[in-house]
Amino acid sequence: MDPLTILAALGPLAVDLGKSLIGRFIQTDGYKPVNVEEYVKMRQFDLDMFKAMNEAGGANPSYPWVEAAVRLMRPAVAAIVLGTWATLKLQGQSSETVDNFAAAVGFYLFGDRTLFYSRKAK
């Protein structure tokens, strides 16, 4: 795999690791809710952010069937790209371009969710 691809894939995790180390050893404690209502508001904000991440790309005004078709195309395109990558790897005809594109699709499928959950694991 190309070193630039590896850096691009691991860059956000390295940034979060650096932020967490700085936050743990240098900064003072962050805000902690005083009562249950504040805690519920914080969790509601997290839930709203998660919903926004799940609905990303659906903000364009269009017919519902158009939005459904677009959302159904995303997994199909990802399956085609990853299937092409796997076939080329098994046949020994891999290319750097296909590897990089498959890495980008893999990050699209799993990286943003992994990054989201790693931020919440504090």
Side-chain angles (χ1 to χ4, degrees):
M1 206 181 235
D2 183 25
L4 187 60
T5 303
I6 294 171
L7 287 174
L10 297 178
L13 293 175
V15 169
D16 280 346
L17 175 66
K19 285 180 182 178
S20 67
L21 290 175
I22 290 171
R24 181 173 296 259
F25 296 114
I26 295 175
Q27 290 180 345
T28 60
D29 287 339
Y31 175 76
K32 296 191 177 170
V34 180
N35 54 28
V36 175
E37 292 172 0
E38 290 181 6
Y39 181 78
V40 169
K41 285 180 184 178
M42 287 176 55
R43 288 296 157 195
Q44 184 63 39
F45 178 73
D46 289 341
L47 181 62
D48 292 341
M49 186 171 65
F50 183 71
K51 286 179 184 177
M53 286 178 62
N54 280 333
E55 296 170 357
N60 297 333
S62 64
Y63 293 108
W65 67 269
V66 173
E67 188 172 335
V70 169
R71 286 178 185 232
L72 287 174
M73 282 191 288
R74 291 176 184 168
V77 170
I80 290 168
V81 169
L82 295 178
T84 303
W85 172 78
T87 303
L88 289 176
K89 281 290 188 185
L90 291 174
Q91 293 177 353
Q93 300 176 359
S94 63
S95 75
E96 187 176 329
T97 305
V98 175
D99 289 346
N100 289 338
F101 195 60
V105 169
F107 184 76
Y108 165 75
L109 291 175
F110 306 111
D112 59 342
R113 300 294 187 245
T114 305
L115 185 62
F116 178 72
Y117 287 122
S118 69
R119 286 181 179 169
K120 292 297 165 194
K122 294 179 183 178

